[in-house]
Amino acid sequence: MLLLIDAGNTRVKWALMPTARLSQPDSLGRWDDSGSVEHAQVGQLVDTWRNAHVSRVILSNVAGADMRAELECALLSVLGLKPVPLEWFTSVPQLAGLRNGYRNPAQLGCDRFASAIAARALYPDEPLIVATCGTATTVDAVSAEGVFIGGMILPGLGLMASSLARNTAQLPEVAASLPVSTPFADHTDAAIVSGCIAAQAGAIERAVAAHASSGAAVRCILSGGAADLITPHLSFSTTRVDNLVLIGLQTVAASSLSVLPVTTAPSC
């Protein structure tokens, strides 16, 4: 079995599928099992993965060195003495049909690169805006020719709202999920959320408009936990795709037997 792992800023997502099915058409995002846990619950995944007969592991991690070590130790418990290297996904100049246009390709967040690979694999030969609305919101442009052009990073919807409430005198802490039906709110809680949603939607709309300046129709792909809150406030239709990073890792797995830096799990 192939085990894909996406360690994000807040949660760890994972998916399992038979390696033999990688070459089958329409297999992207179709897994035998998958799930998501908070960082503190990573140890609980050992029991879930132990009986999966894992033969290959590909990981994306933007949660830091401590999370990497925790995942390595968890996988050591799962794999035991089996010689299964851990393939750590990193951003490189070119991979799986996508060219990385960052000035320093290695500086691009591996989650953003994986998401762009997934978007390109799902919608080849289309100009794309890939907006992931999570702890942070990233808005990235991919050309129809398969070039990651660049993008934007801004605080996510929840982080933006809580930061405003925390750092402005007498403003309440509000939930980012507070319904907003008009841009001009008549009470402070809704005014905070309305402003934050307008900022998120505005960044995405600005990116789509800039990418469409060449005249081609741009597909806007939305992913992440806050996507459903932002979508109704956009002036155009979008394509919702969950688990873009995992789909990107699956695309990379299908493109080569091994193209990533590998390590063996440490002693824990």
Side-chain angles (χ1 to χ4, degrees):
M1 294 287 278
L2 169 67
L3 173 59
L4 309 169
I5 300 175
D6 165 25
N9 291 310
T10 305
R11 300 184 68 83
V12 175
K13 299 178 181 180
W14 59 273
L16 281 163
M17 68 176 295
T19 304
R21 211 170 69 227
L22 282 172
S23 60
Q24 294 180 1
D26 301 324
S27 67
L28 285 179
R30 297 185 177 181
W31 305 306
D32 284 18
D33 198 5
S34 62
S36 173
V37 298
E38 295 180 356
H39 285 180
Q41 299 171 323
V42 165
Q44 299 176 14
L45 294 173
V46 171
D47 290 336
T48 303
W49 296 339
R50 181 168 284 134
N51 298 320
H53 306 291
V54 174
S55 59
R56 186 179 183 187
V57 185
I58 301 182
L59 311 92
S60 168
N61 174 38
V62 297
D66 288 345
M67 176 54 61
R68 174 170 173 144
E70 191 168 354
L71 285 168
E72 287 179 332
C73 288
L75 288 164
L76 180 65
S77 298
V78 171
L79 299 172
L81 298 177
K82 290 192 295 184
V84 179
L86 310 183
E87 301 175 47
W88 292 94
F89 180 80
T90 58
S91 295
V92 295
Q94 187 161 339
L95 184 62
L98 186 72
R99 183 163 67 83
N100 185 346
Y102 241 41
R103 183 179 303 178
N104 176 3
Q107 191 182 46
L108 175 62
C110 62
D111 55 341
R112 294 169 64 197
F113 192 45
S115 292
I117 288 173
R120 168 75 175 170
L122 290 168
Y123 303 101
D125 306 320
E126 293 187 38
L128 305 169
I129 288 294
V130 185
T132 300
C133 309
T135 305
T137 295
T138 59
V139 188
D140 296 318
V142 177
S143 74
E145 295 74 30
V147 178
F148 180 95
I149 298 169
M152 313 172 184
I153 305 174
L154 59 154
L157 181 58
L159 184 61
M160 190 177 283
S162 63
S163 177
L164 179 62
R166 184 170 56 252
N167 294 296
T168 307
Q170 297 183 329
L171 286 183
E173 184 82 17
V174 297
S177 59
L178 185 70
V180 172
S181 58
T182 173
F184 303 113
D186 59 3
H187 62 97
T188 302
D189 286 10
I192 292 173
V193 177
S194 179
C196 294
I197 287 178
Q200 301 283 318
I204 295 169
E205 293 196 341
R206 183 178 177 88
V208 169
H211 199 17
S213 60
S214 62
V218 174
R219 181 188 294 272
C220 181
I221 299 173
L222 258 63
S223 185
D228 287 341
L229 299 172
I230 297 168
T231 299
H233 301 275
L234 296 171
S235 60
F236 46 74
S237 61
T238 62
T239 301
R240 177 66 185 269
V241 182
D242 291 321
N243 299 313
L244 274 174
V245 174
L246 293 177
I247 294 173
L249 298 182
Q250 182 184 347
T251 302
V252 170
S255 69
S256 175
L257 289 178
S258 180
V259 294
L260 304 173
V262 300
T263 64
T264 54
S267 298
C268 298

